[in-house]
Amino acid sequence: MAAVATETPFHVLAVDDSVLDRKLIERLLKTSSFHVTTVDSGSKALEFLGLLSDEDSPVSVQAEQLEVAVNLIITDYCMPGMTGYDLLKKIKESSSLRDIPVVIMSSENIPSRINRCLEEGADEFFLKPVRLSDMSKLKPHILKSKCKEQYHQEQHQQGDSKSIESSNPTNNSSSDSSNSRKRKAADEETLPQAIRSRHS
Amino acid sequence: MAASPVNQLNAHISNMLATGLLDEHFTALRRLQDAESPDFVDGLVTNFLNDGDRIFGKLAQLLERPFVDLDVVSNHLMKLKGSSASVGARHVRLACIQLLQLTSQQKNRDEWISTLARGRAAFDEVRREFQTMVQLERQI
């Protein structure tokens, strides 16, 4: 039998105050081959992501300092204290976290709510109860964000050295790199301005 | 010939689906269960039954008060509606929707109490049927 290179599974952080819904989303994600961490509140999510708040001024931690990288965040909208929308805003305000795709889940089909979330930068909105078929919508968002990450890396490397080196993707899905290069051209206008230093 | 335990279980669940006690979300949950997570469905059912017991109890208490805080009532109903939707408990979900509709109408206490009683009865029914399901599972 030929050896198959196994990819590291993508890691999803799931946020929901309902224990029933946490169990459900965990099972759905694991069945779809994701590695999962579940938390029961927005503040615990931020803690896990390394975004600590010192009174009113949040101190963001560099993404690479996270113990485990998070490739996507999926959160319930209606939660006591910090809502999913509040969490989304905090993530998008953080320079180290804002490129992580965020998916919002809600049991209410309220167009103004959906639009508000999408405008704030949510990548997807799932109506609860979430189904297995919804899980197939997650990977494209992760791959798109990795494509942007790779573009930033290459920009940074080209800025440093005169010789043109081909940079190997350090993470998953090397088979997708040919597709990601095609998508780069289309994505160029939408890439964020800040080019952060990543790995050396 | 006596039906095998597996057939009895499947017949029982088919009946719950046919009577509208459960919907296709329950079927989807069963499909998610596998050897790695053999207690997945029972775990969710337990969570749902705990939520229902707790919330119907709280609603009864809230409706006994001279002033009923409809915001608190709504929050409880939304939570139970969510749990019942996630587990596929259709009748209970519909009962929650009915009760939520009352919050936006000028209804008197009697109407609340009778609608709540119907919701409670729907919950008690699905609880009995779920308990039978668990007993049948144990025979396998």
Side-chain angles (χ1 to χ4, degrees), chain A residues 17-21 23-24 27-28 30-31 78 107-108 128-132, chain B residues 25 29 32 34 36-37 40 43-44 47-48 51 78-79 81 83 85-87:
Chain A
D17 62 309
S18 156
V19 63
L20 200 161
D21 284 341
K23 280 187 191 171
L24 175 57
R27 184 96 286 268
L28 289 170
K30 282 186 173 167
T31 301
C78 264
S107 51
E108 301 302 292
K128 280 180 160 185
V130 181
R131 300 155 200 260
L132 193 58
Chain B
H25 290 294
L29 292 181
L32 285 173
D34 59 16
E36 250 183 55
S37 59
F40 173 64
L44 294 189
N47 289 138
F48 162 70
D51 281 350
M78 291 294 296
K79 171 93 175 120
K81 188 184 107 165
S83 297
S86 291
V87 85

Side-chain angles (χ1 to χ4, degrees), chain A residues 67-81:
Chain A
E67 292 278 334
V68 188
V70 170
N71 302 118
L72 185 138
I73 298 157
I74 183 163
T75 178
D76 187 26
Y77 183 94
C78 264
M79 295 188 292

Side-chain angles (χ1 to χ4, degrees), chain B:
Chain B
M1 281 191 285
S4 69
V6 172
N7 286 344
Q8 278 183 43
L9 174 66
N10 287 336
H12 180 70
I13 292 173
S14 291
N15 195 46
M16 288 177 81
L17 288 160
T19 55
L21 265 182
L22 298 179
D23 61 30
E24 75 280 3
H25 290 294
F26 185 77
T27 315
L29 292 181
R30 288 192 87 208
R31 280 199 294 267
L32 285 173
Q33 183 163 293
D34 59 16
E36 250 183 55
S37 59
D39 301 317
F40 173 64
V41 175
D42 283 359
L44 294 189
V45 167
T46 304
N47 289 138
F48 162 70
L49 293 178
N50 289 340
D51 281 350
D53 266 332
R54 192 186 75 245
I55 290 170
F56 274 113
K58 288 218 169 125
L59 290 172
Q61 279 174 14
L62 287 164
L63 285 174
E64 276 168 20
R65 294 182 188 175
F67 171 72
V68 181
D69 190 335
L70 289 179
D71 282 342
V72 176
V73 167
S74 279
N75 284 341
H76 285 310
L77 288 169
M78 291 294 296
K79 171 93 175 120
L80 186 57
K81 188 184 107 165
S83 297
S84 53
S86 291
V87 85
R90 182 174 161 274
H91 279 177
V92 177
R93 177 175 57 83
L94 294 175
C96 290
I97 291 172
Q98 249 190 339
L99 283 159
L100 279 163
Q101 281 167 355
L102 293 189
T103 60
S104 57
Q105 299 157 7
Q106 297 295 336
K107 294 293 177 183
N108 60 35
R109 196 182 299 271
D110 287 342
E111 179 122 19
W112 268 102
I113 288 173
S114 65
T115 311
L116 183 65
R118 283 202 298 279
R120 178 91 225 200
F123 175 72
D124 289 339
E125 187 189 1
V126 80
R127 198 223 323 253
R128 280 193 303 273
E129 299 300 318
F130 270 142
Q131 282 166 348
T132 304
M133 181 189 85
V134 170
Q135 280 167 18
L136 289 170
E137 280 171 346
R138 290 198 181 131
Q139 287 168 22
I140 293 172

Side-chain angles (χ1 to χ4, degrees), chain A residues 1-183:
Chain A
M1 279 202 274
V4 178
T6 51
E7 298 177 353
T8 314
F10 290 130
H11 181 206
V12 176
L13 176 65
V15 192
D16 202 314
D17 62 309
S18 156
V19 63
L20 200 161
D21 284 341
R22 271 201 309 282
K23 280 187 191 171
L24 175 57
I25 194 70
E26 183 179 41
R27 184 96 286 268
L28 289 170
L29 288 164
K30 282 186 173 167
T31 301
S32 311
S33 306
F34 291 103
H35 172 55
V36 189
T37 299
T38 60
V39 293
D40 64 5
S41 72
S43 47
K44 290 210 184 126
L46 292 176
E47 228 180 276
F48 183 82
L49 292 162
L51 193 67
L52 310 161
S53 66
D54 183 27
E55 287 180 62
D56 286 336
S57 54
V59 177
S60 72
V61 179
Q62 287 298 313
E64 54 260 39
Q65 287 178 29
L66 288 175
E67 292 278 334
V68 188
V70 170
N71 302 118
L72 185 138
I73 298 157
I74 183 163
T75 178
D76 187 26
Y77 183 94
C78 264
M79 295 188 292
M82 192 185 296
T83 66
Y85 179 76
D86 298 330
L87 175 60
L88 167 67
K89 278 186 73 173
K90 288 226 190 290
I91 290 164
K92 293 303 169 186
E93 281 163 12
S94 156
S95 56
S96 56
L97 300 177
R98 67 172 166 233
D99 285 339
I100 302 177
V102 180
V103 173
I104 309 279
M105 304 179 280
S106 176
S107 51
E108 301 302 292
N109 189 356
I110 301 173
S112 59
R113 174 182 292 186
I114 298 171
N115 287 331
R116 206 164 150 241
C117 290
L118 295 174
E119 277 163 22
E120 196 58 44
D123 292 83
E124 191 80 56
F125 192 99
F126 288 161
L127 214 49
K128 280 180 160 185
V130 181
R131 300 155 200 260
L132 193 58
S133 56
D134 290 326
M135 298 294 100
S136 61
K137 299 175 190 169
L138 299 179
K139 196 172 165 187
H141 293 299
I142 296 176
L143 294 176
K144 188 176 168 189
S145 76
K146 285 201 163 289
C147 156
K148 286 184 191 175
E149 187 184 329
Q150 189 179 333
Y151 177 78
H152 286 152
Q153 262 181 283
E154 289 174 1
Q155 285 290 88
H156 186 72
Q157 283 169 3
Q158 280 171 28
D160 278 355
S161 70
K162 294 214 164 90
S163 61
I164 296 165
E165 298 173 271
S166 63
S167 62
N168 292 320
T170 51
N171 291 327
N172 326 323
S173 324
S174 40
S175 57
D176 287 307
S177 57
S178 57
N179 288 334
S180 68
R181 282 179 207 281
K182 286 180 203 161
R183 262 185 266 145

